[in-house]
Amino acid sequence: MLLQIRGIISTISLLDILDILIVAYFLYKLYVMIKDTRAVALLKGLVILLFATLVSKWLGLNVINWLLQKTMTVVLVALPVVFQPELRRALEQLGRGRFFQNRSQLNAEEKETLFAELALTVTALSKNKIGALIVLERETGLNDYIETGIKVDGLVSNEFLINIFIPNTPLHDGAVIVRGNRVQAAGCLLPLSDDRTLTKELGTRHRAAIGISEQTDAVVIVVSEETGIISLARGGRLHRYMDAEKLKEQLGPLFVAKTSSLSDLFSWRPTNG
């Protein structure tokens, strides 16, 4: 056995190692792109289907195995359609040279300032019952949604955001999208969640927040116009009744600085996001 292992190791060249590392890096970037989206659930379903196919073949369940194999064929053909948004984002980032870049990289002081400004903003908006929808971009690019609004590119500040959401102003209707510590666009349109289990008391603003958090890994802050309740949407879930301190506590772990090297593959640890 030891001789066989040595024989296998002796056949591995530097090019083989480089080949494996490149593939591993691309798989990691693909994971980062689709994590916290519905694509992850689809992939889990595909893995379960593949496992069931192998088990049925091993047990000799020929009819079930035949049905599962046909189903797998259909699923593989349908994958490009199902994953169309993710494939589009991947090709877009690759074409713009952003596939190897991490987004929203702020140092500790910048993040603290950003969260403080956001907390001040939503507190003031909540007190005055002014509706707001603030999307914080993470790893998944939001350019498709930025293009639906008015591009701004301004530094995030309490006064700036409040001015945007004041009723009857040109940009108050729609979402603000933040990349890093800068407002990229305002008045943006977001996809609505089609989750039928959501309570009917949630309006369009909340459904849009949940919708974008289902399709991307973005974090969304919502202020209700009717009640002034502050909510945070992430991963397709809505966390309600937030205040300034809770909001900053929730945002902190979601924006942990990451590096862009192959060492991520060996040192990566998931955050609760």
Side-chain angles (χ1 to χ4, degrees), residues 60-127:
L61 304 175
N62 297 325
V63 176
I64 295 177
N65 182 255
W66 181 83
L67 289 173
L68 289 173
Q69 285 183 351
K70 297 302 179 183
T71 303
M72 284 290 294
T73 302
V74 174
V75 169
L76 291 175
V77 172
L79 279 180
V81 178
V82 175
F83 288 102
Q84 187 269 339
E86 285 76 18
L87 291 173
R88 180 178 177 180
R89 282 195 294 269
L91 292 174
E92 181 186 59
Q93 291 183 21
L94 185 62
R96 297 184 181 182
R98 294 177 178 173
F99 190 80
F100 302 99
Q101 297 178 2
N102 283 321
R103 299 171 177 270
S104 307
Q105 292 227 357
L106 303 175
N107 59 40
E109 183 178 352
E110 289 173 330
K111 285 193 294 183
E112 185 177 350
T113 300
L114 172 64
F115 298 157
E117 293 295 329
L118 290 173
L120 286 173
T121 299
V122 296
T123 300
L125 294 174
S126 174
K127 182 178 180 181

Side-chain angles (χ1 to χ4, degrees), residues 98 135 137 142-143 146 149-156 160 176-186 188:
R98 294 177 178 173
V135 182
E137 184 186 71
L142 300 178
N143 286 338
I146 289 174
I150 305 299
K151 293 187 178 180
V152 178
D153 191 22
L155 186 67
V156 172
F160 182 33
V176 161
I177 297 181
V178 177
R179 175 179 294 163
N181 60 355
R182 301 190 69 83
V183 175
Q184 294 296 305
C188 300

